[in-house]
Each structure stands twice: as C-alpha cells, then as structure tokens.
Amino acid sequence: MGCNRRMVACSRAVVVLALALGGCALPQSAPPPLPPPVAAAPLPAAPGSGWAWSTPLESAGARLRSALAGSGAEVSQTPDQRLWIALPGEAVFPAGRSAVTPAAGAWLDKVAAALRGLPRAELQIVGPTDARGAGGQALALDRAASARDWMVVRGVAPRRMAVSGADPRGRAPAVDGRLHILVGERATP
C-alpha cells in the first residue's frame, strides 16, 4: 500500500507540474503586419522641355556600350533624351535577395565611372522583382537602393539619384527582371 501512495503522490506532482508549465507557455498570436514599403520620391518634373541629349552623355553611352558588351546589358537613348542602361536582373541579384553579385558589381563600377564624368546628370534606378515575381515592390525598391549604394561608395553623389520599384514605363514593379538605370541631363532654358 505504501507503494501505491507514493505513486499517487508522484502522479499528482507530475500533473501539477504539467499544469504549471502549461500556464507559462507563450500565447500564440500572429506577427504584427509589416508596414508598407517606403517608396523613394521620383525625380522632380523637368522644367520646360525636360531632358537634353548632350555630347558627354553620348560619349558615356558609347563607352558603356563597349564596356558592357557581352554581359547581356543594353545601353541606348530613350525617346525623352535620356541614357537607358538595363542590366540582366538574374545576374545582378541572387533570387530573393537585394545584395549585388560580384559580376554586377563590376558592371556597376563601370557605370559609376561613366557617371563621375557627367556632373549634371541625374539618375533614376529602378529595381526588378525576383524572376519568380516574388518580393514585389519592397524587394524591387531594396534592389534599386542596393545599386544606388554601390555607386555612392564609388563616388557618385547620392543627391543625383532617385530609386524606385516602379517600372520606368509607368507600370508597377519592373517585371522584366532587369535593373534599369536612366541617366539624364536637364534641359536649360
């Protein structure tokens, strides 16, 4: 009988301990919602005629076309007189990440070198979403900021740059998977 009493007392102790520990468990709740991404302000509207194509801008475009040949990058003049640089997104950023790859770093170094020779130029950097469309606007904006930061470290003034997660053609995040860099010089009246 003494053995049964010890077992009952031991069982009661286990039940009391289990109840006490159960009351200490953290309550299960959903994580708080993330705040909406902060979109960078677009470049101010151009006065008068907008952007102007210049000889230095043409020279920078030619140098970049040559330097980026074979990389999958495109360099051309836009109808609104800006230099358009599109770098292949899958080679610029790892899937789901905003850190610049080493290969893309070399390309952005060349872009930064060309931009240092264009003191009047303003940039709009448009980040791509992931190739699978994941990450949306927040990832696109982080990727654009990452490219901007890379070029700031290489001597391009940050006040000349605006970042965006919106497609340069006015749609939502860039879905073509490329990092777009638009370079323009304001027309002087």
Side-chain angles (χ1 to χ4, degrees), residues 10-148:
C10 197
S11 297
R12 284 184 188 153
V14 168
V15 169
V16 169
L17 182 62
L19 289 174
L21 289 177
C24 292
L26 293 175
Q28 297 295 320
S29 64
L34 294 175
V38 177
L43 292 173
S49 63
W51 304 103
W53 193 252
S54 67
T55 303
L57 202 53
E58 176 65 39
S59 297
R63 284 192 311 275
L64 283 171
R65 259 189 294 287
S66 173
L68 298 173
S71 67
E74 290 181 52
V75 180
S76 63
Q77 182 180 355
T78 64
D80 68 347
Q81 306 306 311
R82 292 191 285 175
L83 182 64
W84 174 63
I85 306 158
L87 301 174
E90 66 278 356
V92 178
F93 303 104
R97 308 281 311 271
S98 62
V100 174
T101 64
W107 300 336
L108 289 172
D109 286 348
K110 293 172 185 176
V111 172
L115 294 173
R116 284 193 305 267
L118 298 169
R120 292 184 45 231
E122 296 177 21
L123 286 76
Q124 179 184 9
I125 303 169
V126 183
T129 59
D130 201 331
R132 298 179 310 265
Q137 180 79 12
L139 179 61
L141 188 59
D142 285 347
R143 287 176 165 187
S146 214
R148 176 205 54 213

Side-chain angles (χ1 to χ4, degrees), residues 1-9:
M1 218 167 191
C3 215
N4 284 340
R5 284 187 188 161
R6 272 192 238 145
M7 232 167 150
V8 169

